[in-house]
Amino acid sequence: MMSEVPRTASISSLPSNDGELTSSVVLRHAKRFKRLKPINFSLLRWNLLWLFVILVFLTLPVWLPFASQSCLISYYVILGVLIWLNLVWFLALIFTISTLIRLKTGMITDHKATYPVETPLIHLLILTIYKDDMGVVCRTVDSLAEQTEAKRILLVIAWESRTPDREERTALIRERYEGKFFSLLFPVHPFGLENEVASKAANANWGLREAVQYVMSDEERRKTVEHVMVTTCDADTLFHPKYFEALTADYLRRVKDKDPAVHRTIWQAPLFYNWNLDQNSFPVRITGLLRTLMTMGLLIPYNVNPMSCSSFSLTLAVRGGYWHPQIFMDDVGYLLTMMIGTQKRMHIRLLPVPVRSGPTSGDTWFSDVHEWYIQVRRWGLGKFISNIRKIFVLSNFLLFRYCG
């Protein structure tokens, strides 16, 4: 296990040129954890600004007539908002159609023909596991074992220390998939580290650092590795067989073309939330289809943020300080973490192969709503709701204490 030692911000101690990130530098920074100050989870946060804007738009027909003295002004304002919203969704539809065409081409293309077989590149795939059903996990790993470039994958099963039956689960995966990948690794994320929250991002941060040490600390192993890509996904993810083939080809193509943004790029495959979709309720089906449309039509084309399953270079991970262990969501928060760490803008790039993902759902309509509540809390609403609840309790106390 790694010991945590203090260090300064990584960006100040890293070489300014990406080409100077030698294996010894990468290994040193993988071993050294930054002693972070606690994040101030205040009531007012920037991500809540979007919620305020959405609330203003939704209630526009209610408050605008009272705020405006002219019915004509209200009419044109509402008309303008509706035209803008329809234009956004129309463009999203156009982008979605374009993405579907590129997907069809990407699935039938022989990407391996564009680069040499002996290219020294591996993929670190971080699969964080806590109490996930092993049947679901094995389906995900099965899709990885069926990859055309499975032998380039270093599969990192990142356990939480509190995972029940961890030894038995490890033995099951090792027995079932031994020899099918570049290597298998089973790091265990300790519980209760200072200034960490129990989250997927904290586990991914630990798991990736352990994987980097595993690769970089062995001389013979390091000789076979020149390029390292990192991929993160949820436990309920089914990859297209050409996912890593297409990722390898596009990355090496951009390296060959000396693209200056290659190490500021996050590859995002379109997500299709149709894992057992026919067995789910009507609201889950609708939200799943809308999320797929938003991924292809909005998140990727408008460079908004990665979602659930994405890939990037190890160089970017090192420069950004891996994952921030105080962020709950490893995908949405990762973009901000990398922008802060590198002080540069990130690029979301389409990977033209599909990925199937499990929709947010439960066993009943009520549990569907509960699961969405949990998901929204992970996206940043939870602390806001918690603070509102505290304010409500405090205000009632003061009301009855001094006015009752």
Side-chain angles (χ1 to χ4, degrees), residues 1 26 33 80 93 101 105 110 112 121 128-129 131 134-135 198 238 246 272 283 297 315 354 358 364 372:
M1 296 296 177
V26 173
F33 276 82
L93 179 60
I101 295 173
T105 303
D110 182 10
K112 295 179 69 173
L121 182 147
T128 57
I129 308 295
K131 294 182 178 181
M134 286 306 294
L238 296 180
F272 291 84
T315 299
T364 63
W372 266 107

Side-chain angles (χ1 to χ4, degrees), residues 150-170:
K151 288 297 185 179
R152 293 186 184 272
I153 299 175
L154 169 53
L155 180 57
V156 183
I157 305 294
W159 300 116
E160 287 287 355
S161 60
R162 298 180 296 167
T163 299
D165 304 322
R166 192 178 67 246
E167 291 77 12
E168 291 81 355
R169 294 180 180 217
T170 300

Side-chain angles (χ1 to χ4, degrees), residues 2-10 29-39 192-196 205-206 209 321 323-326:
M2 292 181 296
S3 60
E4 182 184 8
V5 295
R7 67 173 173 85
T8 57
S10 59
H29 281 266
K31 288 181 177 179
R32 302 166 66 189
F33 276 82
K34 180 179 179 181
R35 196 173 292 278
L36 298 163
K37 295 181 180 179
I39 294 178
L193 294 180
E194 183 182 3
N195 293 334
E196 270 197 3
N205 178 60
W206 182 274
R209 290 174 184 270
W323 274 277
H324 199 298
Q326 294 176 348

Side-chain angles (χ1 to χ4, degrees), residues 98-99 102-103 250 266-270 300 348-352:
S98 173
T99 300
R102 294 180 64 183
L103 280 180
D250 195 47
I266 301 175
W267 279 265
Q268 176 70 60
I300 300 176
I348 310 296
R349 184 173 175 85
L350 172 68
L351 188 65

Side-chain angles (χ1 to χ4, degrees), residues 66-83:
F66 297 97
S68 174
Q69 301 298 320
S70 172
C71 292
L72 194 61
I73 294 178
S74 300
Y75 170 78
Y76 282 116
V77 170
I78 294 176
L79 180 63
V81 170
L82 291 176
I83 292 175

